[in-house]
Amino acid sequence: MHYDLIIRHGTCVFPWGEAQADLGVKEGRIASLSVTAEDSAAQEIDATGLHVLPGMIDAHVHLRDPGNAAIESIATGTRAAALGGITMVFDMPNTSPSITSAETIADKRRTVAENALIDMGLYVGATRANTPQLAALEQEEGVCAIKVFAGSSTGDLMIEDDEGIEAVLRSGHRRVAFHSEDEYRLQARKPLFETGMPHVNHMIWRDEECAFLGTRRITALARKTGRLVHILHTSTAEELDWLAAHRSHVSVEVLVNHLTQVGPECYETLGAYAVMNPPIRDQRHYDACWAAVRDGRVDVVSSDHAPHPREAKEKPWPLCPAGLTGVQTILPVMLDHVNAGRLSLTRLVDLMAAGPARIYGLQTKGRLAVGFDADFTLVDLKAQREIRNDWIASPVGWTPFDGKRVTGWPVGTIVRGTIVMRDDEIVTKPIGRLARFAP
């Protein structure tokens, strides 16, 4: 048999466990898990000593496009993702202009076709004005979900009241993703703080109850309407314990930062480069996030990649914008957690491939199986590297993990059978496209 691509001698992470296998690819799909020595291909990869994972997905990024390409764009953001071993990203709608209509989706679709190095999904932002159209908008090509900012947003993307959220949940049927901080509590507590106070006040202002109150309200509305919801960047022990009793309606995302950084220490060492929403919290919540990863309460781990220029980040708190880079570093950091024994490689694949595919309805991604897209992430679990600012492809040029030494590194990114990255080099032109999601 002749294939377009063969990957030989790698240790493959299948849904049923790890096994050495030789994979054959034809026309962008996995065609065989048992290629023979006699089979040939236009390209072959010797993956001896490497693990072959299904393509890693970062289901929560802000590529700022349309917006300011000097901060980030689909071209630079997907380059960063590919360098970090990511084969697909889901991009958030709070751009300029926001992605809230069929027209803005169409514009974004054209940008993806021209510039994306890897595959993408698009969130559509819910507004009070477009709520009646959400059932139609969630069916647009490439749309992964409706996104609701129930707190921590501006302009027409904010829907903070129960009546508005319920109206969104009654328009359409697919799972709805939420930023669930409670805006009323955030605004009530804001006068307690002053400009120039230490950055650690970020986690004090946006406290556990801000997140837990928002999540309780959204869960109640999900049960009332029968609509499935997804709580993004879940960050507190209280939320994770609560959501364990509501799995029939609610799925859970945790960010790599909440599994890696701990307050107040991170604010003392990083200042504004630790400021994100919801905030990085103390050891109790860090431990709770890991407990939830281990016992299966977490469905997805993402980065919430949200770059800002240095001059903005270095303004006094709370004038410095919240958001950190992460799409390029999430996989190296999570592989380091694997090597440290905090989770298995199989569980990582569940959180960053099978989990996003299951929650968002990707039909042909997220696992190594015949007929699925030939998306692969090749990793060297023994490679020891230092994450550095000068490796970061986003124009802002910084990472909160600068100087962090990790064990485990992505060495290949393959999208639908096309090698996009090999050994830290981008080796193809943009070939990304919008994925198909279950209707």
Side-chain angles (χ1 to χ4, degrees), residues 11 22 50 103 105-106 116 127 135 137 143 164 169 197 242 247 277 287 316 327 340 361 367-368 420 422 426 438:
T11 300
D22 295 342
L50 304 178
E103 292 75 21
I105 295 169
T127 71
L137 292 174
V143 171
L169 295 179
M197 293 177 75
W242 167 267
R247 296 291 288 169
N277 296 330
D287 291 340
V327 71
R367 58 163 48 194
L368 300 183
V420 177
R422 192 73 201 271
I426 300 297

Side-chain angles (χ1 to χ4, degrees), residues 71-83:
I71 298 173
E72 190 68 286
S73 66
I74 285 174
T76 58
T78 58
R79 180 181 181 86
L83 288 168

Side-chain angles (χ1 to χ4, degrees), residues 100-405:
T100 58
S101 67
E103 292 75 21
T104 52
I105 295 169
D107 288 341
K108 188 99 167 209
R109 190 178 295 127
R110 286 188 286 271
T111 305
V112 169
E114 294 170 1
N115 297 282
L117 272 166
I118 62 173
D119 287 351
M120 295 183 62
L122 305 178
Y123 290 92
V124 172
T127 71
R128 298 183 194 280
N130 77 359
T131 294
Q133 288 80 51
L134 291 177
L137 292 174
E138 72 177 6
Q139 298 298 319
E140 288 276 344
E141 179 190 353
V143 171
C144 61
I146 301 300
K147 168 67 179 290
V148 179
F149 291 87
S152 186
S153 190
T154 57
D156 63 354
L157 284 175
M158 177 81 76
I159 302 180
E160 72 276 26
D161 60 294
D162 286 4
E163 182 180 2
I165 293 171
E166 182 174 343
V168 169
L169 295 179
R170 293 192 183 280
S171 182
H173 69 274
R174 292 176 59 197
R175 193 180 298 264
V176 179
F178 279 88
H179 183 130
S180 70
E181 289 180 289
D182 186 80
E183 184 66 15
Y184 300 106
R185 182 173 175 84
L186 288 176
Q187 293 306 318
R189 290 172 57 77
K190 193 172 184 178
L192 302 175
F193 303 92
E194 297 178 357
T195 299
M197 293 177 75
H199 294 93
V200 70
N201 284 283
H202 198 67
M203 76 173 193
I204 299 172
W205 170 33
R206 312 179 84 98
D207 65 354
E208 297 91 331
E209 184 60 17
C210 283
F212 189 27
L213 179 57
T215 294
R216 292 200 306 272
R217 290 173 54 215
I218 292 162
T219 300
L221 291 166
R223 296 190 72 89
K224 178 181 179 181
T225 61
R227 188 79 177 267
L228 298 179
V229 302
H230 185 54
I231 304 298
L232 299 165
H233 39 48
T234 312
S235 63
T236 71
E238 289 80 2
E239 289 174 282
L240 291 163
D241 288 344
W242 167 267
L243 291 172
H246 300 279
R247 296 291 288 169
S248 59
H249 289 76
V250 189
S251 55
V252 177
E253 174 194 81
V254 167
L255 300 184
V256 62
N257 303 80
H258 293 126
L259 294 169
T260 308
Q261 297 166 302
V262 180
E265 295 82 2
C266 64
Y267 299 100
E268 296 165 359
T269 58
L270 294 172
Y273 294 98
V275 172
M276 63 184 298
N277 296 330
I280 297 167
R281 304 191 189 276
D282 62 24
Q283 187 73 39
R284 179 172 73 90
H285 299 293
Y286 170 92
D287 291 340
C289 287
W290 274 113
V293 166
R294 285 191 291 271
D295 68 19
R297 281 175 286 163
V298 178
D299 299 284
V300 177
V301 167
S302 305
S303 75
D304 195 2
H305 173 78
H308 296 278
R310 287 184 181 273
E311 57 269 24
K313 289 296 285 183
E314 291 172 0
K315 292 180 179 179
W317 184 85
L319 303 179
C320 55
L324 307 175
T325 62
V327 71
Q328 192 170 340
T329 54
I330 180 174
L331 185 55
V333 171
M334 291 304 298
L335 290 172
D336 191 62
H337 287 311
V338 169
N339 275 293
R342 297 186 184 96
L343 78 167
S344 67
L345 187 62
T346 301
R347 179 64 170 132
L348 176 58
V349 167
D350 184 47
L351 292 165
M352 290 188 63
R358 180 179 68 252
I359 295 303
Y360 291 88
L362 283 167
Q363 300 294 82
T364 60
K365 294 182 182 290
R367 58 163 48 194
L368 300 183
V370 169
F372 275 60
D373 286 359
D375 295 345
F376 309 108
T377 300
L378 277 57
V379 301
D380 183 345
L381 285 183
K382 296 180 179 179
Q384 296 184 333
R385 295 280 294 270
E386 181 180 347
I387 296 172
R388 296 174 54 89
N389 283 336
D390 60 13
W391 178 61
I392 298 301
S394 296
V396 297
W398 59 265
T399 167
F401 298 113
D402 180 52
K404 180 177 177 63
R405 294 199 63 82

